[in-house]
Amino acid sequence: MTKSEKKALLNKLIADFLATSDASERAEIRDNIFKELNKLPLSSHDRNHTEDEMDLWLYNIDRFIKDPKNTAAHTSVIADFEEIIKVVDISLLAN
């Protein structure tokens, strides 16, 4: 799988996560996103940064899964996704 295909898969998983309303399906997609991020060929610095972002994201995503109507949790999840994608973009270009 090429770097662009990996990025496309990650973006698709994020879109699927946001499109579904089923909590168990969201939890499964969250786990798949985490697994895909761990498979990416990131530099050690970017991997550490992404893992820190993922810790915060996992906290926010659990809040969002429990209460999808929570606007603050939704906003946090979107911001976390954007930050993770930005780091992945930069790191994939460099590697």
Side-chain angles (χ1 to χ4, degrees):
M1 187 178 279
T2 67
K3 292 175 184 179
S4 60
E5 290 171 334
K6 290 177 184 183
K7 181 183 168 197
L9 174 62
L10 190 57
N11 282 319
K12 180 190 176 311
L13 288 170
I14 291 169
D16 290 347
F17 175 86
L18 295 171
T20 188
S21 60
D22 180 52
S24 61
E25 192 173 334
R26 276 191 173 144
E28 183 178 332
I29 295 170
R30 174 201 59 205
D31 295 342
N32 289 338
I33 292 170
F34 189 77
K35 288 175 190 173
E36 289 303 319
L37 281 170
N38 285 325
K39 291 179 187 177
L40 292 174
L42 302 175
S43 69
S44 59
H45 170 67
D46 290 339
R47 182 164 306 283
N48 289 338
H49 181 71
T50 303
E51 287 173 357
D52 290 344
E53 293 296 323
M54 285 299 294
D55 288 341
L56 179 59
W57 177 71
L58 289 171
Y59 170 76
N60 288 330
I61 203 86
D62 287 341
R63 281 184 19 208
F64 180 66
I65 289 172
K66 289 177 187 170
D67 184 11
K69 294 181 182 181
N70 183 334
T71 306
H74 182 267
T75 303
S76 294
V77 167
I78 297 298
D80 293 343
F81 274 139
E82 289 172 355
E83 182 62 28
I84 289 168
I85 292 298
K86 185 172 87 174
V87 170
V88 167
D89 279 345
I90 293 168
S91 189
L92 286 178
L93 287 174
N95 290 324

